[in-house]
Amino acid sequence: MTGATRPGGDTLDVQPTPLALLLLGRQSDATSERGVDCPGDLPSPSDPDLVERARAAKEKLGDRVFVLGHHYQRDEVIEFADVTGDSFKLARDAAARPEAEYIVFCGVHFMAESADILTNDAQRVVLPDLAAGCSMADMASAEQVAECWDVLNEAGVAEDTVPVSYMNSSADIKAFTGRHGGTICTSSNARRALDWAFSQVDGERGKVLFLPDQHLGRNTVVREMGMTLDDCVVYNPHKPGGGLTPQQLRDARMILWRGHCSVHGRFSLDSVREVRERVPGVNVLVHPECKHEVVAAADYVGSTEYIIKTLDAAPAGSRWAIGTELNLVRRLAHRYADQGKEVVFLDRTVCFCSTMNRIDLPHLVWALESLVEGKVVNRIQVDQETEKFAKLALERMLALP
């Protein structure tokens, strides 16, 4: 690529960064959650026979295929899912179906990795579009986290620190967590995971390195565990030493990675104020990946499963503003409309998860029809060494009291 040109005609020696090329789909990064390769020809998105083609391919495969659909997927994809749920539930569902040769995961890359880790060696996990990554998982690379651990060692606090990694992380980060005596958590069991982690270290010296979502870590310890915002520091991998002094690291109880969900991070305190004015008597229900001020202003806070259960138990005539991904909110609004429950999106701005939405009907049809033809496309396979330690961290989570 040539350099840019000044208005006067002179050429500037400006070259695109690797990240810019990656976002433009002109370069790939094997250590990132993103992917850009998709071999084969996809059916046209306007193909009127797509639904029938998906149905026919799934019928031909029968019990050989098991399709998992994350809550944030499009309705057109969810229609063909054998089970729906959050990422860890789906990975466990896949492990409980050892007779299925193919696991087609309609979600994002880190979820398919977890399914590969938990399923047996004979099963093959397929992600319909390799570009379905996760911006949050991308915010913590293996190299950055290894450098962070070196910083903690230099500050003399690594031996008093237990890593806890959110399920929304790459297999490499899960493996790092397993190697260093830590555990994985979900948004449902973060409190239990953090209680366990702090029990593994000595009193007030003990710390947790929480990866990669700062908001879930902060909200859990402040809302549920009696800590204060002053007990938390944020490690920025793009600054020397994480942007923190050794003394700040020594004084902290929670070392939060500077990562966030691109969807839940969009909600603001203004969103909460505006919806309360717009919808009288509304109950504000948000995911704990939202910012701390949003969580503090909400009426209810919980995981995706908690959100669904809360709405299910809500009385007729109640009004709800939901702070989570739009596909799910629209599906819930439709589900509960005939029960007299009003469900609206927390913000006026449309907010889909762009990478989740890469799994569309053409990609699903292509993946299923390829399997019918005996071709396994877009297989997600975690190497044995990474799988060993990532599985260790996951097993610690499963053993939590």
Side-chain angles (χ1 to χ4, degrees):
M1 181 178 287
T2 59
T5 303
R6 287 192 181 96
D10 296 334
T11 299
L12 293 169
D13 186 18
V14 178
Q15 300 299 324
T17 65
L19 177 59
L21 287 170
L22 187 67
L23 294 173
L24 289 167
R26 301 179 66 171
Q27 183 169 307
S28 62
D29 179 359
T31 64
S32 171
E33 285 291 310
R34 297 184 186 91
V36 295
D37 295 327
C38 189
D41 295 326
L42 293 178
S44 166
S46 60
D47 184 342
D49 301 321
L50 279 175
V51 171
E52 186 53 42
R53 288 173 65 179
R55 188 174 293 120
K58 196 162 183 285
E59 188 174 321
K60 287 179 183 177
L61 290 164
D63 292 339
R64 298 173 62 204
V65 70
F66 191 46
V67 180
L68 309 174
H70 191 271
H71 285 308
Y72 297 168
Q73 287 293 305
R74 305 162 180 254
D75 288 345
E76 67 191 46
V77 171
I78 288 291
E79 178 182 349
F80 294 98
D82 293 303
V83 292
T84 59
D86 60 21
S87 59
F88 187 60
K89 174 187 179 295
L90 293 176
R92 293 185 73 180
D93 286 343
R97 289 289 294 267
E99 70 278 8
E101 291 178 55
Y102 309 120
I103 306 297
V104 177
F105 209 126
C106 298
V108 295
H109 194 275
F110 78 80
M111 301 178 186
E113 284 185 328
S114 295
D116 184 61
I117 290 167
L118 293 175
T119 51
N120 65 55
D121 292 341
Q123 293 176 288
R124 284 164 284 186
V125 178
V126 169
L127 184 66
D129 186 352
L130 291 179
C134 171
S135 60
M136 180 198 294
D138 280 344
M139 293 176 191
S141 71
E143 293 78 11
Q144 289 172 330
V145 176
E147 182 179 344
C148 171
W149 199 252
D150 288 341
V151 170
L152 299 188
N153 266 310
E154 290 169 7
V157 301
E159 64 180 16
D160 298 313
T161 303
V162 175
V164 174
S165 292
Y166 190 23
M167 182 62 66
N168 300 28
S169 58
S170 69
D172 284 337
I173 301 308
K174 292 182 175 73
F176 166 89
T177 305
R179 285 190 186 96
H180 291 86
T183 187
I184 308 302
C185 76
T186 68
S187 53
S188 299
N189 68 7
R191 166 68 189 271
R192 279 187 290 149
L194 287 167
D195 280 338
W196 174 86
F198 281 112
S199 75
Q200 305 302 300
V201 285
D202 179 37
E204 293 185 1
R205 286 176 54 86
K207 309 174 193 308
V208 164
L209 171 62
F210 195 88
L211 302 152
D213 179 29
Q214 61 172 304
H215 301 306
L216 177 62
R218 181 184 294 107
N219 288 329
T220 303
V221 295
V222 174
R223 290 185 66 252
E224 302 181 39
M225 299 176 64
M227 293 190 192
T228 69
L229 294 176
D230 291 336
D231 292 316
C232 306
V233 294
V234 178
Y235 181 95
N236 185 342
H238 302 292
K239 292 185 177 181
L244 299 168
T245 66
Q247 190 59 49
Q248 285 176 307
L249 290 169
R250 287 191 283 269
D251 291 341
R253 299 295 308 283
M254 280 289 283
I255 303 168
L256 304 166
W257 192 264
R258 190 175 181 268
H260 64 275
C261 171
S262 299
V263 170
H264 293 102
R266 291 176 61 98
F267 299 116
S268 67
L269 193 54
D270 284 342
S271 304
V272 178
R273 290 168 177 159
E274 190 277 334
V275 81
R276 290 197 189 281
E277 293 176 2
R278 176 163 47 97
V279 185
V282 72
N283 297 283
V284 177
L285 170 57
V286 302
H287 195 282
E289 288 176 19
C290 293
K291 297 172 185 174
H292 182 68
E293 59 266 28
V294 173
V295 164
D299 300 301
Y300 302 89
V301 182
S303 67
T304 303
E305 296 295 338
Y306 172 86
I307 289 171
I308 295 169
K309 289 177 181 177
T310 300
L311 287 176
D312 198 47
S318 55
R319 295 177 164 186
W320 297 85
I322 311 299
T324 193
E325 204 274 341
L326 184 56
N327 273 317
L328 175 61
V329 177
R330 294 202 309 186
R331 195 173 300 126
L332 293 174
H334 178 74
R335 179 188 304 178
Y336 295 112
D338 62 355
Q339 299 180 25
K341 303 173 189 179
E342 182 181 349
V343 178
V344 300
F345 192 56
L346 176 57
D347 197 85
R348 284 188 178 276
T349 304
V350 173
C351 192
F352 291 103
C353 176
S354 59
T355 49
M356 280 278 189
N357 271 267
R358 294 194 69 98
I359 308 294
D360 55 15
L361 202 48
H363 281 90
L364 179 59
V365 169
W366 170 70
L368 291 173
E369 289 184 340
S370 296
L371 293 176
V372 170
E373 295 169 5
K375 296 185 295 186
V376 180
V377 295
N378 290 3
R379 183 179 180 185
I380 302 299
Q381 193 168 17
V382 179
D383 68 86
Q384 290 186 346
E385 182 73 5
T386 302
E387 178 177 314
K388 172 184 172 182
F389 288 101
K391 193 168 186 177
L392 178 60
L394 286 165
E395 287 172 343
R396 288 194 185 111
M397 181 181 76
L398 293 173
L400 289 173

